[in-house]
Amino acid sequence: MGTTDQSLLLRHGRALDLFTERVHGVAQDQWGGPTPCAEWTVRDLVQHLVVEQLWVPPLVRDGATVDEVGDSFEGDVTGPDPVAAWDTTADAARAAFAGPGALDRTVHLSYGDTPARDYCAQMTTDLVVHSWDLARAVGADERLPDDLVTAALHEVRPYAAELSGSGLFAPAVEPPPGADAQTELLCLLGRAP
């Protein structure tokens, strides 16, 4: 495994840890609260990330296609304990990406075949941005690690315009003059920090 792969896995692991820290900080009375993601409660946001992690083992480890997985992850996959559901799925996703030769594989995503390295980078970016969403929702520290923000900006800049066109992301927001990298990232992905 090359240095680049090790760096990618390290960033992915740190992004998982960042979101884990936020999930473990959710108070019992905050699960139904709003988030910066339109129409999502805190529980919905965590559910989204749990589902994202559930996809990693079959796609990366097993080489499954989206059609083969089908609707396996539809519905409430967090059950009565969203924190435990997150911990279990985060560990499984971490293990799948770190498996022997995992980053050399091709994953079959809904929009086409993608190198597993690119999928891992996309998942890392998703974790970083949603860590901010969750922090904002529950009143936790919103500051994101600079190196994770830099990597996420590098990842998302080339296709940011396409994201808002997909209907899954809000349109980009114009960052204020002199915005730092975190503000730029969040604005690019339709957040108003």
Side-chain angles (χ1 to χ4, degrees):
M1 181 182 302
T3 303
T4 304
D5 288 349
Q6 290 172 341
S7 298
L8 178 57
L9 289 175
L10 180 62
R11 276 193 307 273
H12 177 256
R14 289 183 56 232
L16 281 169
D17 294 345
L18 185 66
F19 195 78
T20 298
E21 181 183 318
R22 302 302 193 270
V23 171
H24 282 257
V26 176
Q28 283 305 314
D29 63 350
Q30 292 179 314
W31 288 103
T35 70
C37 302
E39 300 179 17
W40 276 359
T41 65
V42 169
R43 184 181 174 87
D44 295 333
L45 175 61
V46 173
Q47 159 93 3
H48 167 69
L49 270 292
V50 166
V51 170
E52 291 291 305
Q53 305 324 301
L54 283 170
W55 279 96
V56 177
L59 294 178
V60 174
R61 184 192 62 217
D62 304 337
T65 66
V66 171
D67 287 341
E68 288 169 342
V69 175
D71 61 1
S72 300
F73 308 131
E74 296 284 321
D76 179 8
V77 296
T78 57
D81 190 347
V83 176
W86 166 255
D87 288 345
T88 300
T89 57
D91 288 347
R94 185 188 315 257
F97 275 126
L103 294 180
D104 296 325
R105 298 181 185 135
T106 298
V107 292
H108 312 291
L109 302 178
S110 59
Y111 54 84
D113 287 354
T114 303
R117 283 177 186 85
D118 293 351
Y119 179 46
C120 186
Q122 292 164 12
M123 292 290 283
T124 301
T125 297
D126 198 47
L127 286 160
V128 170
V129 173
H130 285 315
S131 290
W132 180 85
D133 292 330
L134 188 52
R136 166 76 43 114
V138 301
D141 182 6
E142 295 178 14
R143 191 75 217 150
L144 301 169
D146 291 342
D147 61 320
L148 292 180
V149 168
T150 300
L153 266 173
H154 177 76
E155 169 63 28
V156 82
R157 270 189 188 125
Y159 57 82
E162 298 168 24
L163 293 176
S164 65
S166 72
L168 300 174
F169 291 82
V173 175
E174 185 67 32
D180 63 7
Q182 177 172 317
T183 301
E184 182 185 347
L185 173 67
L186 295 169
C187 288
L188 194 60
L189 294 173
R191 274 92 173 149

